[in-house]
Amino acid sequence: MHASVKKASLLPAAALLPLLIACAIGHAADMPKQPDSGPLAAKAVSDAIGATLRADVPTALAALKTAPVDQFNEKDARFRTCMFERHERKTPPPMTDAPADPLARQVLEAYQRYWWQATRDPATRPAEEKQLKTKLAALIGEKPPAEGEEAFEALTDRLSAELGKRGMHALQGRTPPLYDLLVWGKQEEKDYTVDLPSGEKQPVRVFLMDDWVSRGWSRYTACERTGTGGWVKPEGLYAVHSAYGDLTGEDFQASFLGHEAQHFADLKRWPDMKPWVLEYRAKLTELFKSDKTHMALLDKFYRSRDDEPDHPHPYANKQVIIDIVAKMGLPADSDLHKSDPVAVRNAARDVLIEDTRKREAETPPAAAGDAAAKPKS
């Protein structure tokens, strides 16, 4: 089955480059339980994963060096070893999970080299992005694209079409702060109706993806310990099937369906919404819908926080914590792990509803309706 090559833009038609609004996951729900790592090692792993989601490899490696080696359990020790072998070196490592198809292999190799360098030193990113564009163009016999994101978007459309001829689905764009590559072989469709905190029932079509060639820069950078779990496009929600087990657990029902359905609803009404605001609102929905996964979700939010709006996920995590703490009338430095879970979930719902009312007041209903009808490029 050939890939669809529709552009992945989640922005209005005037926007230039596809922006991938993706949700990050930590681990599959069916991973076997192991003895916990020691406290210093557990914190080191948590800090390292948080840093990789900010595309900050030096901080991740420094975190892993803070704990005694004998405190890491088997799983965490493998992660630690992989991080050092993949990133603490002078030249790019050998390619991981090389696909059999020659073009797919060369495309993935170009992206992995770019990710490896761009996460080591942000100052090199402009030069590395230029080199990536040149390499990708050469793979389909073209000259380097002109300056600007519009020309690169056109190039990635043509490249994705070539991969589609080889039976692969491909999505390229930017998962801030880096250019990303998602390539998979199979997908099936399912329809759901999601209850959002506002009381709205949001119908969505879900594309369940399997047979992966590339799951993006975050998974590569974190030695496959975390990565993109799915994203939203105008036609529906895309989910990494293997990440969610039998699809009945909260990892799927709350952290995927709830999170991404909120994106889907918001983008219909406010297609110009900033990426971090999209993530902020979706994370409030995710937290409201969590029960069994409530503490793990808070762990993820606390682990990965950032002051930079260009890092949508960690910046949104920080804002969610700040606003829920304030809504509950708690001291600013309060730890929500110690609060009543039901109260936290209800506060998340109330913060989201208040945010919606504020946005509705700022955007006249007619304008909101017009924006929802704008075509997505």
Side-chain angles (χ1 to χ4, degrees):
M1 181 177 183
H2 292 335
S4 166
V5 293
K6 291 181 181 178
K7 297 178 184 178
S9 179
L10 303 179
L11 303 177
L16 300 181
L17 183 73
L19 183 67
L20 311 185
I21 303 299
C23 66
I25 60 171
H27 53 81
D30 57 356
M31 287 290 289
K33 179 67 175 176
Q34 294 188 4
D36 292 336
S37 290
L40 294 178
K43 183 179 186 304
V45 169
S46 178
D47 290 346
I49 291 174
T52 63
L53 292 174
R54 300 190 300 272
D56 183 357
V57 160
T59 297
L61 297 181
L64 291 171
K65 293 176 181 177
T66 62
V69 174
D70 60 5
Q71 278 203 15
F72 291 82
N73 68 10
E74 182 181 351
K75 176 184 174 183
D76 290 344
R78 288 198 302 269
F79 168 68
R80 181 183 184 277
T81 298
C82 175
M83 287 293 290
F84 288 128
E85 290 180 348
R86 183 169 297 179
H87 297 295
E88 196 170 58
R89 50 189 295 140
K90 294 182 179 180
T91 58
M95 187 179 177
T96 63
D97 301 323
D101 180 82
L103 178 62
R105 185 168 60 251
Q106 291 173 306
V107 171
L108 182 56
E109 184 176 26
Y111 270 98
Q112 284 190 357
R113 187 204 174 281
Y114 155 67
W115 296 335
W116 182 82
Q117 185 61 52
T119 57
R120 289 163 61 88
D121 183 0
T124 68
R125 287 177 189 171
E128 292 298 328
E129 290 179 355
K130 183 176 181 178
Q131 185 172 352
L132 172 69
K133 295 173 183 180
T134 298
K135 286 185 176 181
L136 295 179
L139 291 179
I140 53 175
E142 297 185 8
K143 296 179 180 179
E147 294 292 330
E149 303 291 22
E150 188 173 16
F152 184 49
E153 181 181 357
L155 167 63
T156 58
D157 280 350
R158 293 190 291 273
L159 185 56
S160 292
E162 289 300 318
L163 292 171
K165 293 175 184 177
R166 292 160 168 78
M168 288 167 277
H169 302 260
L171 181 62
Q172 299 174 77
R174 189 184 288 275
T175 304
L178 304 180
Y179 288 129
D180 221 338
L181 173 71
L182 293 304
V183 182
W184 63 102
K186 296 179 181 179
Q187 68 182 34
E188 63 173 313
E189 301 176 16
K190 290 182 179 291
D191 291 319
Y192 293 88
T193 299
V194 182
D195 293 324
L196 297 177
S198 62
E200 179 182 1
K201 292 185 179 294
Q202 176 63 57
V204 293
R205 175 157 293 178
V206 176
F207 299 84
L208 297 165
M209 304 172 290
D210 289 294
D211 290 357
W212 283 91
V213 173
S214 173
R215 278 179 57 183
W217 70 259
S218 60
R219 186 167 178 82
Y220 171 79
T221 303
C223 278
E224 294 72 53
R225 184 65 178 264
T226 185
T228 297
W231 59 86
V232 58
K233 288 176 64 179
E235 65 270 22
L237 313 182
Y238 285 74
V240 177
H241 196 176
S242 62
Y244 299 108
D246 63 3
L247 308 184
T248 61
E250 285 185 2
D251 280 347
F252 182 73
Q253 295 293 326
S255 291
F256 178 75
L257 273 183
H259 183 114
E260 300 295 337
Q262 187 67 57
H263 281 334
F264 197 78
D266 285 344
L267 286 164
K268 287 193 301 181
R269 302 182 65 187
W270 298 295
D272 296 316
M273 185 174 281
K274 294 179 180 179
W276 81 261
V277 179
L278 284 164
E279 293 303 336
Y280 167 80
R281 290 173 56 81
K283 288 171 187 289
L284 288 168
T285 294
E286 186 180 354
L287 189 57
F288 169 69
K289 294 176 76 69
S290 69
D291 181 13
K292 294 179 181 178
T293 58
H294 177 80
M295 289 299 180
L297 191 57
L298 284 177
D299 287 345
K300 183 170 70 173
F301 290 178
Y302 274 96
R303 178 178 69 217
S304 180
R305 290 176 286 173
D306 199 298
D307 294 323
E308 178 50 65
D310 287 342
H311 299 163
H313 278 281
Y315 186 75
N317 290 344
K318 183 173 182 178
Q319 298 307 309
V320 164
I321 292 169
I322 289 172
D323 290 349
I324 291 178
V325 165
K327 183 64 179 177
M328 295 177 68
L330 299 172
D333 60 351
S334 296
D335 183 352
L336 292 176
H337 290 90
K338 300 176 182 179
S339 297
D340 174 51
V342 174
V344 173
R345 292 199 297 272
N346 288 341
R349 176 200 60 204
D350 294 345
V351 169
L352 177 63
I353 290 173
E354 289 174 6
D355 185 77
T356 298
R357 288 172 179 164
K358 177 182 177 182
R359 294 181 190 285
E360 288 174 340
E362 293 173 349
T363 305
D370 292 344
K374 284 185 180 179
K376 309 295 190 300
S377 64

